[in-house]
Amino acid sequence: SSMGAAGPVPTSYRLQPKGPTEARPANSGFSALALWQILPDDDKPTEIWFLLTEAAERNAWAAIQAESKKLGVVAHAISLGNDENIDNASHFLEQTAKNIPEGCTLTLDITQGLRHHAFLFFALALYLSKFRDNQVAGVWYCRMETEKGCPKPIIDLKPVLNLVDWFLALYVFQATGSTAAIAGLVTGKAQEYFRNFSQEFLTGVPVEAGLSARRLLTELSSEGYRLGELPLEENLRRLLQKEIEPFVGDFKEKSECKLDQAELARQARFIARYLETGQQNLAFGFMREWLVNRMLASQSPENWLQLKAREAVERQLGCLTSLLSNKKDPNRKALSEELKALAKD
């Protein structure tokens, strides 16, 4: 928690929303100490750290110590220094980060303190959770502006923090095709489908990726499905559907995949995405396979998944390449008249 210049302000607090398992309201001069009283025993922090401006050290710290001792919880102070440091974001973040043990679980109270402290806590939570292996259990804020005489509701804003994970995961999907990060944010069948699609997309296997994309789209579109308790959940789900749709295969099993113009166009979209995202190694490798598929589509589309048929076409392409540089190559007998004419031209 943090404090600006004010001293204790006796207030009655409660968790929001109300429910049958809600803890009783708590009275305190400080929102962090009230929150500590209200939270279930399993969720109570073992220590409370207060970031204090110079004014808060004078006006609040003694009262914090007295109330903390009465409650039986350890309180620590992190000094933000004199007034010159009040608006110094680097000082705030560095002083806090160096005092937070790596790997511990954090509960943030952003009710009191200066207004910009809430934004700094947000940046701090991202840094500690992504690079210091700290877990954020909750981000609590009290709506102090509610009517007088009523316990002030404390609400958990952690779902807003969770949005950042989703934004990053979606960005990685758009930039690379990997949905591994998204798989880490969902549960159930969707988690398996996202993991499968990620591996299949990044190894250039369009039929398997098409199956996983189809299963994903079906799951995301199913009645009642939600990504979680998230702000913008419906918007995020629509974005995911939009990104997945171009790769969805029109088949339910690999053996049902027909090599027609629609399937070739779907596979070409993989190449386009690879080129768009700068993954030339995948694009060029897939181009070779696509060319084989294109020839199989005109020769023996019913056998296009069979290794023998693919190898035969690959030999033809090898001969064609040879003929383009050496028209006297004896391997020209392996080519059809149409391909010979193409090589001659």
Side-chain angles (χ1 to χ4, degrees):
S1 186
S2 69
M3 297 294 298
V9 180
T11 306
S12 178
Y13 298 87
R14 63 177 172 83
L15 290 184
Q16 172 78 10
K18 285 187 175 182
T21 60
E22 181 188 9
R24 61 181 176 78
N27 299 312
S28 177
F30 305 96
S31 57
L33 294 177
L35 178 63
W36 186 87
Q37 297 177 66
I38 295 172
L39 288 174
D41 289 343
D42 290 343
D43 297 333
K44 290 184 189 295
T46 56
E47 302 175 357
I48 304 179
W49 291 73
F50 289 86
L51 282 79
L52 305 175
T53 63
E54 195 173 59
E57 290 185 65
R58 295 193 305 267
N59 301 330
W61 180 232
I64 290 172
Q65 288 178 299
E67 188 172 338
S68 299
K69 185 176 181 180
K70 184 178 179 181
L71 292 173
V73 60
V74 177
H76 301 278
I78 299 176
S79 176
L80 296 178
N82 56 40
D83 289 344
E84 294 179 359
N85 289 323
I86 286 180
D87 298 322
N88 189 326
S90 293
H91 180 79
F92 180 101
L93 295 171
E94 289 168 3
Q95 284 293 104
T96 308
K98 75 179 185 180
N99 282 282
I100 301 297
E102 187 170 345
C104 73
T105 300
L106 303 174
T107 298
L108 305 180
D109 166 52
I110 60 173
T111 301
Q112 296 175 304
L114 302 177
R115 289 183 182 273
H116 70 288
H117 284 183
F119 293 95
L120 297 179
F121 270 128
F122 185 76
L124 180 70
L126 292 177
Y127 168 71
L128 294 175
S129 61
K130 302 304 178 190
F131 304 110
R132 291 268 299 273
D133 199 30
N134 293 96
Q135 301 296 316
V136 179
V139 181
W140 298 90
Y141 171 75
C142 179
R143 298 209 326 253
M144 300 293 288
E145 67 276 10
T146 54
E147 63 274 14
K148 294 181 179 179
C150 175
K152 309 300 183 183
I154 303 178
I155 59 176
D156 188 7
L157 297 177
K158 188 170 184 290
V160 178
L161 188 64
N162 292 341
L163 269 180
V164 176
D165 291 329
W166 275 99
F167 294 159
L168 290 174
L170 274 167
Y171 173 78
V172 170
F173 180 23
Q174 292 174 330
T176 69
S178 172
T179 54
I182 297 174
L185 299 174
V186 298
T187 58
K189 292 180 179 179
Q191 184 176 68
E192 176 188 353
Y193 299 156
F194 275 121
R195 284 175 177 165
N196 290 344
F197 178 82
S198 184
Q199 182 177 4
E200 293 152 0
F201 184 91
L202 295 177
T203 52
V205 283
V207 179
E208 290 82 353
L211 281 171
S212 292
R214 181 187 179 95
R215 290 162 182 163
L216 268 174
L217 196 63
T218 300
E219 184 74 4
L220 293 173
S221 305
S222 61
E223 185 177 355
Y225 181 83
R226 291 178 59 84
L227 298 172
E229 295 302 320
L230 288 168
L232 300 175
E233 188 276 338
E234 186 176 347
N235 300 64
L236 291 172
R237 192 154 30 90
R238 284 202 299 265
L239 277 171
L240 275 175
Q241 290 168 333
K242 182 181 177 181
E243 291 296 322
I244 292 167
E245 279 176 352
F247 309 109
V248 173
D250 188 22
F251 45 89
K252 295 181 180 180
E253 298 293 339
K254 183 175 181 178
S255 58
E256 297 176 1
C257 182
K258 295 181 179 180
L259 189 60
D260 51 21
Q261 291 302 312
E263 176 59 18
L264 287 170
R266 185 186 72 86
Q267 293 183 16
R269 289 194 285 272
F270 284 78
I271 299 172
R273 175 62 69 87
Y274 295 146
L275 291 173
E276 181 183 339
T277 56
Q279 296 168 293
Q280 285 89 349
N281 58 328
L282 286 171
F284 296 148
F286 205 120
M287 285 178 187
R288 180 183 182 280
E289 294 302 314
W290 189 90
L291 184 57
V292 171
N293 290 341
R294 178 63 186 85
M295 290 185 64
L296 281 165
S298 62
Q299 294 182 17
S300 55
E302 68 282 356
N303 299 321
W304 77 284
L305 291 173
Q306 295 180 12
L307 179 60
K308 186 176 181 179
R310 302 187 68 81
E311 288 177 340
V313 168
E314 288 174 356
R315 286 194 298 271
Q316 291 179 8
L317 286 171
C319 293
L320 181 59
T321 301
S322 177
L323 281 173
L324 287 173
S325 59
N326 182 8
K327 295 182 180 180
K328 295 181 180 180
D329 193 303
N331 289 323
R332 62 180 297 145
K333 294 180 180 180
L335 298 178
S336 66
E337 292 301 319
E338 181 182 6
L339 290 178
K340 287 180 183 179
L342 179 61
K344 184 177 180 181
D345 294 337

